[in-house]
Amino acid sequence: MTFRTIEKKNFPPFIEKLMPAMEVVGVREKVEGKYEFALLESPSQLCLDYDVTLLSPKKYFLPPRETLLKFRTGKTVSCEAVLASKPLAIIGVHPYDLKAIAQLDRIFADANSDEHYRKKRQDAVIIGSDIRRSSPYAFCKSMNSATVQEGFDLFLTDIGEGYVVAVGTQKGQDLLAQWATSRAATKEEVAKRSEIQEKIPYLFSLNTLTTPYDELPRLLTDHAASKLFDELAEKCFSCGSCNLVCPTCYCFDVQDEMALNLSEGERFRLWDGCLLEGFAQVATGENFREDRAERIRHRIFRKGKYIYEKYGEHGCVGCGRCASACLPDIANPVEIFNRLKEGK
């Protein structure tokens, strides 16, 4: 990995030069204290000193609603795939969201390669940045996602007078060479970067799992019949908010919609979630996870066991968005895993 340095005064011009060449998205303050990834109209709108965004940048690769193909009916039936994508730069992605994107990259390239997702990823360049303050529910340290050494094209570390930029890919190197004014980072600057990153996991020391990362699958196996899931189900609204804000949830529903002329239409997909009552309902009407407790258990097992057993990493990156979005306050993974550990 190589390291470059961009002086603070040269960073806004870097973003300005990118804007005519591609769509530039970054973290903006939506309302006081709440942040979102959104289109940047000016470099001054970019905020790198944020805790967590309402939604992850997953929405740019797996949109909440996405047209997959358009079709025509009648004497001659035809259909045409829709692969909507354009050059995109996303600036300010935290390590936990980088790990989530890397996991989705593996999943959408697995057995049934998803060309819609992959095309958007190929057209995007991701510029990550360090976590500078933690959100109240985040537990990144427990999920090994407080820092990363891969999964980005460029990565920014604020060292005061400038940014040390880790170059992760050839795409990132080309972007830097074409649009930014940078120089090789000195040994002292790289050492300062390391010193800053070594302290980041301690931001989450007050919110940690009592079970080590690799032992979560065993914990869940041992407590699959825990009454905790029934207790949580009594308060759950089945609203699916925990699914919809999760950076690693990727389930979707596919529907066809005819136009009013009844001769053409489109097939699209929508975000779906395993906490929603109709998620596991099949065509004949049966619902194989009709009970709320079963749906909650399934979600927790997806986060702490099933994905790990298939890919060697958990389907949770510790961002805490699920806990923040849950109205009855029952979705906090730290509380659930720790209570299972205590046998409560």
Side-chain angles (χ1 to χ4, degrees), residues 15 57 71 90 116 142 174 211 255 262 288:
I15 298 175
F71 59 83
I90 305 178
H116 299 273
S142 296
D174 294 343
T211 301
Q255 299 179 20
L262 300 182
F288 52 89

Side-chain angles (χ1 to χ4, degrees), residues 4-44:
R4 306 284 298 179
T5 295
I6 299 179
E7 305 293 338
K8 286 277 180 75
K9 65 179 181 182
N10 291 326
F11 194 66
F14 170 46
I15 298 175
E16 282 181 337
K17 290 175 183 176
L18 288 180
M19 286 177 170
M22 60 189 70
E23 190 169 281
V24 179
V25 162
V27 178
R28 294 175 54 170
E29 189 168 30
K30 184 178 178 68
V31 294
E32 186 176 0
K34 300 294 182 183
Y35 302 90
E36 64 173 352
F37 282 97
L39 182 68
L40 294 181
E41 298 163 348
S42 163
S44 63

Side-chain angles (χ1 to χ4, degrees), residues 16 86 135 152 156 164 190 199 206 219 229 265 268 307 326:
E16 282 181 337
K86 52 190 172 184
S135 68
F152 52 81
L156 308 172
V164 172
V190 174
K199 296 177 181 176
L206 297 178
L219 173 74
F229 300 113
F268 58 93
I307 296 293
C326 182

Side-chain angles (χ1 to χ4, degrees), residues 189-231:
E189 289 170 336
V190 174
K192 192 169 185 178
R193 172 186 184 271
S194 298
E195 182 182 340
I196 290 170
Q197 292 196 340
E198 286 173 2
K199 296 177 181 176
I200 291 173
Y202 295 100
L203 294 173
F204 308 96
S205 294
L206 297 178
N207 199 32
T208 60
L209 300 183
T210 53
T211 301
Y213 184 87
D214 293 328
E215 295 180 17
L216 287 177
R218 179 60 183 270
L219 173 74
L220 293 179
T221 299
D222 291 346
H223 295 83
S226 171
K227 293 182 179 179
L228 174 60
F229 300 113
D230 297 304
E231 178 189 321

Side-chain angles (χ1 to χ4, degrees), residues 25-27 37 46-48 50 53 90-94 127-129 156:
V25 162
V27 178
F37 282 97
L46 178 65
C47 176
L48 295 178
Y50 70 98
T53 54
I90 305 178
I91 305 174
V93 182
H94 277 168
I127 303 176
S129 67
L156 308 172

Side-chain angles (χ1 to χ4, degrees), residues 255-275:
Q255 299 179 20
D256 288 346
E257 184 175 74
M258 289 293 296
L260 291 176
N261 60 19
L262 300 182
S263 62
E264 59 186 17
E266 67 175 22
R267 175 167 294 176
F268 58 93
R269 62 181 172 189
L270 299 164
W271 285 359
D272 205 348
C274 56
L275 260 293

Side-chain angles (χ1 to χ4, degrees), residues 213-214 217 302 304-315:
Y213 184 87
D214 293 328
R302 286 282 292 184
K305 178 176 170 63
Y306 299 152
I307 296 293
Y308 181 88
E309 291 174 344
K310 186 169 184 178
Y311 295 104
E313 59 187 11
H314 288 303

